[in-house]
Amino acid sequence: MTGRLESPDIALTDVSVGYGDRVVLSGITTVLPGGKVSVILGGSGCGKSTLLRNIIGLVPIQSGRIVLGGRDMEHLSPEDRLDTRRRMGVLFQDGALLGSLRLGENIALPLREHTELTNSLIEEVVGMKLKLVGLADFTDYFPSELSGGMRKRAGLARAMALDPAVLLCDEPTSGLDPITAADMDQLILELRTTFDMTIVVVTHDLQSLTAIADHVVVLSEGKMLFEGSLPELTACDDPFIRQFLARQPNRESRILGENWATMIEKRRDLSAGRP
Ligand SMILES: Nc1ncnc2c1ncn2[C@@H]1O[C@H](COP(=O)(O)OP(=O)(O)OP(=O)(O)O)[C@@H](O)[C@H]1O
């Protein structure tokens, strides 16, 4: 077995990812630090989920190297590949729960597939994982009987089933109301703090970014535009990053007849009761 997987760094060196001949991202070189939350940020369709799928190993990278805790993902023995895969928990955008199974059975699936635990132990672990995400009372519910936020938390419980060293989350707060989204952010931070996991979150939720990011990677136009800390991101003067963080549209409206930034400033004043 090569490389330890305790809070592993994920090192990407000159990585290109895409589909068939089509390159979606190229020249990605960064280290997603172990035991920290890295946020991958970028506009819709820039390749965030694609990069995540490549880090997980669901799709092979086109070129470059991904090294996780000292293990080169392209050159693993079948045994190490399976072991590495087991140590990565993934929260997919929609929670990816099986609709025909109750929540408890959904969480039990990876345990049945990858461990030799007895049924009673599996039940115990499932109970612990559901408690971790605040769903202890919902073991017998079907996914369709849960709200979107609950389904995301259930997806997180399933991602945590095998006590992963790495947790990868694809847009964990998308479609959630602000309070439920904050709950999810808090849960991610609690998991990092409690289990010292390496966490990678793909998002374009700016509030979530501020709440959880230790390390930020910004993707744009097929490249990595930025990597660094949150204060470094905030201080960055790249025009795309400034526009992204300020949430400004691409064009000025001729119909509204007012500059976007001025209009937003006025609306802020209005909502704050300023004349
Ligand atoms: N399975 C696939 N086969 C071929 N092309 C794909 C596939 N999945 C995604 N793409 C393409 O790859 C590009 C990047 O998509 P991706 O889903 O990674 O972007 P994203 O940044 O996660 O977008 P969003 O924020 O909207 O979810 C898009 O042009 C998309 O059409």
Side-chain angles (χ1 to χ4, degrees):
M1 194 79 62
T2 48
R4 278 163 45 79
L5 282 190
E6 301 307 320
S7 319
D9 284 348
I10 306 173
L12 290 83
T13 309
D14 203 14
V15 168
S16 292
V17 299
Y19 301 93
D21 291 339
R22 183 175 165 222
V23 179
V24 172
L25 291 164
S26 64
I28 309 291
T29 298
T30 185
V31 176
L32 309 176
K36 307 266 185 223
V37 178
S38 291
V39 170
I40 299 178
L41 206 63
S44 294
C46 74
K48 302 180 296 295
S49 302
T50 300
L51 184 61
L52 202 70
R53 285 198 280 271
N54 279 262
I55 294 173
I56 301 160
L58 288 179
V59 183
I61 56 174
Q62 291 175 324
S63 62
R65 255 179 114 201
I66 298 182
V67 177
L68 191 143
R71 296 179 181 188
D72 186 332
M73 301 289 280
E74 289 294 292
H75 300 105
L76 293 175
S77 66
E79 185 199 47
D80 276 3
R81 187 177 300 280
L82 191 63
D83 180 65
T84 308
R85 187 66 197 81
R86 262 191 225 141
R87 305 289 281 134
M88 296 170 105
V90 186
L91 169 60
F92 291 101
Q93 264 190 52
D94 54 0
L97 302 166
L98 293 180
S100 58
L101 296 182
R102 294 177 195 276
L103 207 47
E105 275 308 308
N106 262 291
I107 315 302
L109 266 187
L111 294 160
R112 294 199 194 291
E113 202 176 326
H114 294 292
T115 72
E116 306 280 311
L117 295 179
T118 60
N119 279 340
S120 64
L121 264 179
I122 286 180
E123 221 172 276
E124 207 171 304
V125 176
V126 166
M128 275 163 44
K129 300 300 170 186
L130 284 175
K131 190 166 172 223
L132 192 69
V133 300
L135 292 176
D137 296 334
F138 296 88
T139 314
D140 293 329
Y141 281 58
F142 285 103
S144 60
E145 295 170 326
L146 302 173
S147 71
M150 290 161 92
R151 274 200 292 276
K152 292 236 190 217
R153 278 189 282 147
L156 200 50
R158 201 186 50 189
M160 292 295 295
L162 296 170
D163 297 326
V166 178
L167 178 67
L168 303 118
C169 307
D170 199 354
E171 302 203 15
T173 58
S174 69
L176 302 183
D177 71 78
I179 296 172
T180 314
D183 281 341
M184 180 56 92
D185 287 342
Q186 191 174 48
L187 192 53
I188 288 171
L189 289 178
E190 284 172 354
L191 292 176
R192 181 207 57 187
T193 306
T194 310
F195 302 106
D196 201 22
M197 282 190 298
T198 304
I199 301 181
V200 183
V201 175
V202 159
T203 190
H204 28 51
D205 179 340
L206 294 176
Q207 283 175 316
S208 191
L209 166 80
T210 311
I212 66 174
D214 297 309
H215 180 77
V216 189
V217 170
V218 182
L219 305 174
S220 175
E221 298 188 348
K223 303 276 178 211
M224 186 177 76
L225 191 58
F226 170 92
E227 62 148 354
S229 66
L230 205 49
E232 284 166 345
L233 179 75
T234 313
C236 180
D237 59 7
D238 176 87
F240 172 79
I241 290 176
R242 297 252 52 88
Q243 181 187 5
F244 196 93
L245 296 182
R247 205 175 169 279
Q248 278 180 334
N250 276 319
R251 59 175 181 85
E252 287 299 339
S253 169
R254 275 191 244 141
I255 294 169
L256 296 176
E258 193 169 30
N259 171 275
W260 176 264
T262 313
M263 188 181 84
I264 294 297
E265 200 51 46
K266 278 190 197 162
R267 293 184 70 91
R268 280 207 191 105
D269 285 347
L270 203 63
S271 67
R274 287 191 290 266

